[in-house]
């Protein structure tokens, strides 16, 4: 049976991490594959670690905050060394709907894709939550830029709900961007001619905690993301 690992990065998610892991526990026996999960506690300074330990939730506790890239790469290393067939990134803030996981991994299990992106924007997506207007404009700009650099249009380029096959698990365990991994790796995988597919999934609005991308950081974010895409996709195919 296919072994699937959910990688859940968490930084100061005391308000949502128990609810998030509980949703997985309640759903894991409803899918036709083995479903495990690991929380990567990214040096949280709130009660996240205490909650994980007290509730005996599978977790890796980083001794310092590495940021989203380092936390997720830790999960990919765990998936690689524990021989998982598929790794799924799943936010600890409760925004991702566990009931969409089967649709997300099915193209990989069926051998039709190497990597899938859970999308709010593809036709047929069940998600009513689409994000704010300003963020949607930023997503559209990054999407347009990726198309210019790779020739492929991806819609939900900042989605953190993603699934990777064994080959990409191995690659990401050794090579993974630290600051803006979603748009960067999306562009890189398309440039490498990997079979990347967007799959309609459901997402919710964040109810607890706050995003790391504030309005004051948005301009810097866009400049750095677009610059990194240029560097990653210029003459790089392996």
């Amino acid at each position: 049976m296919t072994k699937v690992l959910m990688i859940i990065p968490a930084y100061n998610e005391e308000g949502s991490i128990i609810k998030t892991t509980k949703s997985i526990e309640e759903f894991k026996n409803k899918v036709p594959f083995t479903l495990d999960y690991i929380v990567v506690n990214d040096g949280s300074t709130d009660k996240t670690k205490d909650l994980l330990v007290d509730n005996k939730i599978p977790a890796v506790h980083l001794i310092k905050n590495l940021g989203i890239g380092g936390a997720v790469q830790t999960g990919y290393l765990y998936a690689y060394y524990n021989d998982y067939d598929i790794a799924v990134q799943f936010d600890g803030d409760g925004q991702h709907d566990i009931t969409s996981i089967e649709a997300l991994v099915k193209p990989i299990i069926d051998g039709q894709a190497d990597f899938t992106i859970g999308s709010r924007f593809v036709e047929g997506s069940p998600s009513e939550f689409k994000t704010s207007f300003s963020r949607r404009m930023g997503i559209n700009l990054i999407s347009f830029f990726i198309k210019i650099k790779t020739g492929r249009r991806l819609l939900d380029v900042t989605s953190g709900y993603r699934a990777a096959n064994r080959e990409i698990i191995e690659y990401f365990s050794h090579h993974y961007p630290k600051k803006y991994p979603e748009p960067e790796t999306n562009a890189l995988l398309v440039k490498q001619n990997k079979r990347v597919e967007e799959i309609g999934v459901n997402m919710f609005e964040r109810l607890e905690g706050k995003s790391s991308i504030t309005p004051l950081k948005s301009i810097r974010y866009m400049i750095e993301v677009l610059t990194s895409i240029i560097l990653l996709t210029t003459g790089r195919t392996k």
Side-chain angles (χ1 to χ4, degrees):
M1 184 177 290
T2 302
K3 291 176 56 181
V4 178
L5 176 73
M6 302 186 71
I7 300 168
I8 309 173
Y11 177 67
N12 291 349
E13 297 291 359
E14 65 180 14
S16 59
I17 195 62
I18 297 300
K19 182 179 179 181
T20 297
T21 55
K22 185 178 179 180
S23 73
I24 299 171
E25 289 288 353
E26 292 175 345
F27 193 76
K28 62 187 299 183
N29 293 324
K30 299 178 182 179
V31 294
F33 44 81
T34 299
L35 183 60
D36 299 324
Y37 65 92
I38 187 78
V39 177
V40 182
N41 171 31
D42 190 19
S44 296
T45 57
D46 64 356
K47 296 180 181 178
T48 298
K49 180 178 180 179
D50 293 338
L51 289 170
L52 294 171
V53 172
D54 292 346
N55 288 275
K56 297 181 173 59
I57 293 171
V60 173
H61 300 284
L62 303 181
I63 62 174
K64 63 180 291 187
N65 178 251
L66 297 183
I68 185 63
V72 172
Q73 187 175 28
T74 298
Y76 277 114
L77 282 164
Y78 185 94
Y80 175 65
Y81 285 113
N82 287 279
D83 297 318
Y84 282 93
D85 303 301
I86 298 174
V88 176
Q89 295 173 222
F90 194 80
D91 285 356
D93 59 16
Q95 284 193 286
H96 297 161
D97 188 347
I98 184 60
T99 65
S100 293
I101 190 171
E102 189 170 356
L104 187 66
V105 303
K106 188 176 187 301
I108 298 177
I109 292 175
D110 292 345
Q112 298 173 349
D114 302 311
F115 189 78
T116 56
I117 303 167
S119 178
R120 294 161 287 184
F121 308 133
V122 293
E123 184 176 355
S125 172
S127 186
E128 295 182 2
F129 171 65
K130 303 295 184 183
T131 200
S132 66
F133 175 78
S134 60
R135 289 197 177 190
R136 183 69 186 269
M137 292 296 292
I139 289 170
N140 286 340
L141 178 59
I142 297 171
S143 173
F144 176 73
F145 209 73
I146 289 177
K147 183 177 181 181
I148 290 176
K149 295 300 296 180
T150 68
R152 173 78 183 278
R153 179 80 185 278
L154 297 174
L155 300 177
D156 207 346
V157 291
T158 63
S159 170
Y161 199 177
R162 315 192 302 166
N165 69 4
R166 178 68 181 173
E167 178 186 1
I168 293 178
I169 289 172
E170 180 177 8
Y171 180 76
F172 281 171
S173 70
H174 296 93
H175 309 281
Y176 200 73
K178 297 298 185 287
K179 295 186 71 174
Y180 311 115
E182 287 85 11
E184 292 181 19
T185 52
N186 289 341
L188 183 59
L189 292 177
V190 171
K191 187 70 174 179
Q192 292 177 340
N193 296 315
K194 302 301 182 184
R195 296 174 299 168
V196 178
E197 299 294 337
E198 282 193 273
I199 306 298
V201 299
N202 190 38
M203 295 191 194
F204 308 110
E205 188 170 4
R206 174 192 281 264
L207 297 177
E208 301 284 349
K210 59 183 180 179
S211 172
S212 61
I213 305 298
T214 65
L216 293 177
K217 294 180 180 178
S218 295
I219 295 177
R220 179 181 176 182
Y221 173 88
M222 292 303 301
I223 292 172
E224 291 186 352
V225 167
L226 298 181
T227 300
S228 67
I229 291 172
I230 292 174
L231 295 176
L232 282 169
T233 59
T234 300
R236 184 172 181 177
T237 58
K238 295 183 180 180

